[in-house]
Amino acid sequence: MHQFLFLLFGAFCVGGAINLLLQKKTINSALSLIVVMGSLALIYLLLGAEFVAVVQVIIYAGAIMVLYVFVIMLLNAGKEEEVQGSHVAKIFGIPGLFAGGIIGIWVLLQHRPDDKLLPIGAMYGPADKVGELLFTKYLLAFEVTSILVLIAIMGAVVLTRRSRS
Amino acid sequence: MIPISWYLLLSAFLFACGVTGFLTKRNIITLFMSIELMLNGVNLSFIAFATRLQTLDGHIFVFFVMVVAAAEAAVGLAIIISVYRTRETLNVDRVNLLKL
């Protein structure tokens, strides 16, 4: 059951990622990215990361992607312009990519440590445990994060404001 | 029972898709979405390793990555809007004022 669910949502992830690359219209790419993020949230749930799964849906699939779709509509981003890629890159790039990938995988397989199986519910990451860690061990980083978000808000406002002159 | 390498393979695939999109796409919004895809791939390997090592620190790191991604999206999209206002284009090849 666990394997079936992983393969199902993994297939959704892979399909969404490939679709993002193949689509010409920006809005279609954004929608397939939402599919990727939603299925990743379910994979996080399979790994027992409850808090991260919920945050993934709220922040990534919710807030960030709404921002993207909003900007796509605002700027009326239609089809991508066709560009002429270099022929050298087409001839040598794709076989080179495959060769490099195969060599990389082969090297990694040579030095592989034990491939431990992760049973369902191998670890339970509920929100209270994560919050406890966040407010004790990582308290300073958490507070700095709030300043970062504040600066990002101010930066977004300043950058999008029209100058009066 | 799922081997951890499956999660890492999925993560690596998502990251590779992000890199490919970043290098081949020409629309500046699609470039930003490719960056989000790369961050998602990294997050998946964080969670997989957190489960493998039985520690919650990976979850905290994913949280911070998400915060940085949100800040990056806000500022980046603001920059895209102001670039579009001055250049009237979303094609990164046409935004070449800094190029010699």
Side-chain angles (χ1 to χ4, degrees):
Chain A
M1 187 62 187
H2 194 197
Q3 268 181 4
F4 170 72
L5 286 175
F6 174 80
L7 289 176
L8 181 70
F9 298 129
F12 269 115
C13 267
V14 170
I18 291 174
N19 197 33
L20 188 147
L21 296 181
L22 294 181
Q23 289 292 338
K24 287 285 170 216
K25 283 189 174 176
T26 318
I27 185 75
N28 294 350
S29 295
L31 293 177
S32 50
L33 189 57
I34 293 176
V35 170
V36 173
M37 286 169 175
S39 32
L40 266 182
L42 291 160
I43 287 175
Y44 292 157
L45 268 186
L46 287 181
L47 280 166
E50 277 183 357
F51 174 72
V52 174
V54 171
V55 169
Q56 168 93 2
V57 171
I58 294 174
I59 304 217
Y60 256 128
I64 294 181
M65 288 320 290
V66 165
L67 204 61
Y68 273 93
V69 173
F70 180 73
V71 169
I72 289 167
M73 289 195 298
L74 190 72
L75 300 186
N76 201 10
K79 277 193 178 175
E80 196 177 359
E81 288 176 43
E82 295 287 332
V83 284
Q84 198 77 355
S86 72
H87 287 290
V88 179
K90 270 179 193 160
I91 294 167
F92 293 106
I94 296 168
L97 200 67
F98 270 105
I102 287 167
I103 290 170
I105 290 171
W106 186 75
V107 169
L108 285 179
L109 283 178
Q110 298 297 309
H111 302 280
R112 185 166 66 159
D114 60 321
D115 199 4
K116 196 183 169 191
L117 294 171
L118 297 176
I120 190 165
M123 187 185 160
Y124 186 51
D128 56 343
K129 293 276 165 47
V130 176
E132 203 181 309
L133 205 58
L134 202 59
F135 283 105
T136 52
K137 194 174 170 188
Y138 295 100
L139 182 63
L140 179 66
F142 182 71
E143 297 296 339
V144 171
T145 293
S146 59
I147 297 171
L148 173 74
V149 172
L150 186 68
I151 293 171
I153 293 168
M154 291 197 299
V157 170
V158 168
L159 282 169
T160 49
R161 195 181 54 177
R162 279 177 201 277
S163 55
R164 292 279 167 88
S165 57
Chain B
M1 302 283 276
I2 293 177
I4 188 175
S5 55
W6 290 19
Y7 289 105
L8 297 181
L9 261 177
L10 182 59
S11 155
F13 181 81
L14 289 179
F15 191 88
C17 274
V19 172
T20 312
F22 190 81
L23 293 178
T24 58
K25 290 285 184 175
R26 282 292 160 266
N27 190 312
I28 192 165
I29 299 176
T30 319
L31 292 192
F32 263 79
M33 289 196 286
S34 306
I35 294 174
E36 299 290 333
L37 198 60
M38 284 192 255
L39 289 171
N40 269 290
V42 173
N43 281 352
L44 181 60
S45 57
F46 263 129
I47 298 288
F49 276 120
T51 312
R52 169 77 167 77
L53 300 172
Q54 295 286 308
T55 168
L56 275 175
D57 298 62
H59 296 202
I60 308 284
F61 270 85
V62 170
F63 175 75
F64 286 134
V65 169
M66 280 177 181
V67 171
V68 170
E72 174 242 317
V75 175
L77 291 171
I79 291 173
I80 289 173
I81 288 175
S82 76
V83 163
Y84 187 75
R85 262 191 205 140
T86 52
R87 294 291 148 74
E88 301 278 319
T89 182
L90 288 172
N91 191 333
V92 283
D93 284 344
R94 290 170 196 270
V95 186
N96 54 4
L97 205 66
L98 283 176
K99 211 165 157 187
L100 280 173

